Amino acid sequence: MVPLMLVTPAWLPLAMVGVLILLLAFLYWSMHRNINRIDIEDEPAPESPVSPLD
């Protein structure tokens, strides 16, 4: 029986990082117009109670 020896090339991790960076860049490129359209209205912060001065 022939043993299966899977050898990972030295450049494979670098190629995987490159593919992930390209994927993130594509996702940002496709969503950047929609991200700018998001409008979040801030609610006014409740006033903190004022302690009396002695």
Side-chain angles (χ1 to χ4, degrees):
M1 180 175 236
V2 177
L4 293 176
M5 296 183 66
L6 299 176
V7 178
T8 303
W11 51 266
L12 185 61
L14 183 61
M16 292 172 61
V17 169
V19 168
L20 288 175
I21 289 173
L22 288 174
L23 178 64
L24 287 174
F26 174 74
L27 289 174
Y28 175 77
W29 177 76
S30 65
M31 291 296 294
H32 78 277
R33 277 177 263 130
N34 292 328
I35 290 172
N36 290 334
R37 291 180 187 169
I38 296 173
D39 185 25
I40 299 174
E41 295 181 13
D42 294 330
E43 295 179 9
E47 295 182 18
S48 62
V50 178
S51 61
L53 299 174
D54 291 319

